[in-house]
Amino acid sequence: MEIYVTLIQLLDSTLRLSAPLLFACLAGLYSERAGIVDIGLEGKMLAGAFAAGTVAAISGSAIAGLGAALLVAMLLSLVHGFASITHRGNQIVSGLAINFIAAGTTIILGQAWFGQGGRTPSLPNSARFTAIDFPGAEAVKDVPVIGYLYAELISGHSILVYLAFLMVPLTWWVLYRTRFGLRLRAVGENPAAVDTAGISVPWLRYRAVMICGLLCGLAGAYLATAQGAGFVKDMTAGKGYIALAALIFAKWRPVQAMFACLLFGFLDASAIRLQGQSLPLIGDVPVQFMQALPYILTVILLAGFIGKAIPPKAGGIPYVKER
């Protein structure tokens, strides 16, 4: 029973740690399916987290913080779209610029406004998205196997965790069962054919990057107002890049993306739980190794799968309308 409890607790942590990765991974999926490579996921998440932490600390409202995160991440996405769609600039350079701007600006503004080394003030529970307990969760907690599973793994997460996993079937439905999704996938493969059909390629791509911004804003808000209690300097810690690795590993498909993010989340949760533990035949596991484990897997997956995964054909290529 002790092993079962430990496993459920590990899976519970996995869900919580996977949520921001899943938001960012789906954000990249929309953008790249439309042919816009976006490595600025990290910067938009970070800016969104800072906006959410700042506004939630000032207003005392998690909803206001979420709205600020969505707005800031959306604006950065529009900047990326303006550079890469309207002006047909290099998409990699534009994404990197967003990452650098967000990393520097959040620290400068955080220090200027709050004087806490780039942090925002700690948020009370009233200004955070706290855990939601499902009906009867506490009553059935002591029921063997099923009760503990319901009370600990299914119940007890913030609304943003449930929203992250709800976005997976929603994204699948949008991409594969709607006219917008069909056009979105087509513009990432053959924008000239879409243009010939009388559909605006720039407008489709702008809508994709706007959806990308909204999802990155959700990821940032989750980090600052649900998983954490305020913004901390560089709190994304490379999650945007891990989300990109998960997207490539999943071959730009939403359901596979969910499982890839769960894998990274499981490794992250395992790293936290195994720090300082002694393992059979291995002994004490160095803390630094466990902390680096998700990033090591990122490198391995990119090295092993980036050649096998076939991205959208028009990805990263600015579209120039033929006259």
Side-chain angles (χ1 to χ4, degrees):
M1 188 62 183
E2 184 179 347
I3 296 176
Y4 177 74
V5 170
T6 302
L7 177 62
I8 294 299
Q9 291 174 347
L10 184 60
L11 293 177
D12 181 66
S13 298
T14 297
L15 293 181
R16 298 174 194 270
L17 294 169
S18 298
L21 294 177
L22 188 52
F23 276 130
C25 189
L26 293 176
L29 188 149
Y30 277 102
S31 182
E32 297 203 10
R33 277 289 191 174
I36 303 298
V37 174
D38 193 352
I39 63 171
L41 300 177
E42 176 85 2
K44 284 179 280 192
M45 286 174 65
L46 190 63
F50 177 75
T54 298
V55 173
I58 294 171
S59 67
S61 170
I63 298 296
L66 174 61
L70 296 177
L71 178 61
V72 168
M74 171 83 77
L75 289 174
L76 287 176
S77 273
L78 289 173
V79 169
H80 180 57
F82 184 70
S84 59
I85 300 172
T86 302
H87 288 281
R88 298 188 286 274
N90 188 295
Q91 297 170 14
I92 302 296
V93 173
S94 175
L96 277 175
I98 288 174
N99 289 342
F100 292 148
I101 290 169
T105 304
T106 53
I107 297 173
I108 293 170
L109 292 179
Q111 178 61 28
W113 291 347
F114 304 109
Q116 298 183 17
R119 298 171 58 100
T120 61
S122 182
L123 299 178
N125 284 339
S126 59
R128 298 178 62 217
F129 290 101
T130 53
I132 299 173
D133 291 323
F134 286 0
E138 193 62 33
V140 302
K141 188 173 183 179
D142 294 330
V143 176
V145 183
I146 297 177
Y148 193 75
L149 176 71
Y150 175 71
E152 290 294 324
L153 186 61
I154 299 175
S155 175
H157 301 286
S158 79
I159 190 171
L160 293 181
V161 173
Y162 297 114
L163 180 59
F165 287 93
L166 181 63
M167 285 300 303
V168 176
L170 180 60
T171 297
W172 179 88
W173 180 78
V174 168
L175 287 179
Y176 297 104
R177 290 294 183 269
T178 67
R179 181 180 298 177
F180 170 72
L182 174 63
R183 291 174 174 177
L184 190 74
R185 289 183 289 124
V187 82
E189 296 290 340
N190 192 342
V194 174
D195 193 22
T196 302
I199 301 167
S200 172
V201 172
W203 176 228
L204 262 176
R205 288 184 165 178
Y206 263 111
R207 280 187 281 176
V209 297
M210 285 190 288
I211 295 172
C212 175
L214 290 175
L215 290 171
C216 286
L218 285 168
Y222 175 80
L223 290 174
T225 60
Q227 183 173 305
F231 177 80
V232 180
K233 174 185 172 183
D234 295 329
M235 74 182 308
T236 49
K239 287 182 174 60
Y241 299 110
I242 293 176
L244 278 176
L247 182 60
I248 295 170
F249 182 46
K251 299 181 180 179
W252 294 269
R253 294 172 181 164
V255 177
Q256 289 89 328
M258 179 187 70
F259 288 115
C261 291
L262 284 171
L263 173 61
F264 282 108
F266 180 78
L267 284 176
D268 209 358
S270 301
I272 294 171
R273 180 164 289 275
L274 292 176
Q275 285 182 16
Q277 299 292 323
S278 181
L279 298 180
L281 304 178
I282 298 176
D284 292 337
V285 181
V287 173
Q288 293 81 1
F289 174 77
M290 297 308 301
Q291 291 175 337
L293 194 58
Y295 305 97
I296 294 172
L297 180 65
T298 301
V299 174
I300 293 172
L301 289 180
L302 286 176
F305 288 91
I306 197 167
K308 300 176 183 178
I310 301 175
K313 293 179 182 178
I317 303 173
Y319 177 63
V320 180
K321 187 174 182 177
E322 297 180 1
R323 297 182 181 276

